Amino acid sequence: MTQYRAVFDAEVTFSNEGGLQAQGFRADIPGPEFTPEEIGRLFVTSLDLLMTESVTVHDVRIIEEAHKGTRGGPSDPRSH
């Protein structure tokens, strides 16, 4: 079975001020048709970020690669 990962850059802003940026982050996704909005939600979940006001995901590439265990992703045993 083919597995997919999203490779992307992200910017997060927090409701209590401050922010976070990521470049080239990789996350397990269930299939090649995952949207940037879904990837953003997965990114926030995988890092257990609290008080997130917004997340912007850009430069998304979907690649065929074995899942590595992204928390909240398709390989997370807690999501089954």
Side-chain angles (χ1 to χ4, degrees):
M1 180 169 119
T2 303
Q3 295 181 334
Y4 298 93
R5 301 190 90 210
V7 181
F8 57 93
D9 298 341
E11 297 172 9
V12 177
T13 57
F14 298 104
S15 59
N16 62 345
E17 300 185 12
L20 174 72
Q21 294 182 350
Q23 291 81 38
F25 194 88
R26 289 181 182 221
D28 299 347
I29 57 174
E33 302 301 320
F34 220 52
T35 68
E37 291 79 17
E38 292 168 317
I39 292 168
R41 283 192 298 274
L42 179 61
F43 176 67
V44 168
T45 299
S46 70
L47 296 179
D48 284 335
L49 298 177
L50 302 176
M51 301 181 75
T52 300
E53 184 171 294
S54 67
V55 59
T56 304
V57 173
H58 49 90
D59 297 330
V60 176
R61 291 183 300 120
I62 306 299
I63 61 172
E64 292 183 14
E65 184 174 78
H67 288 168
K68 307 292 185 191
T70 301
R71 188 177 314 150
S75 59
D76 187 347
R78 297 175 302 168
S79 63
H80 299 289

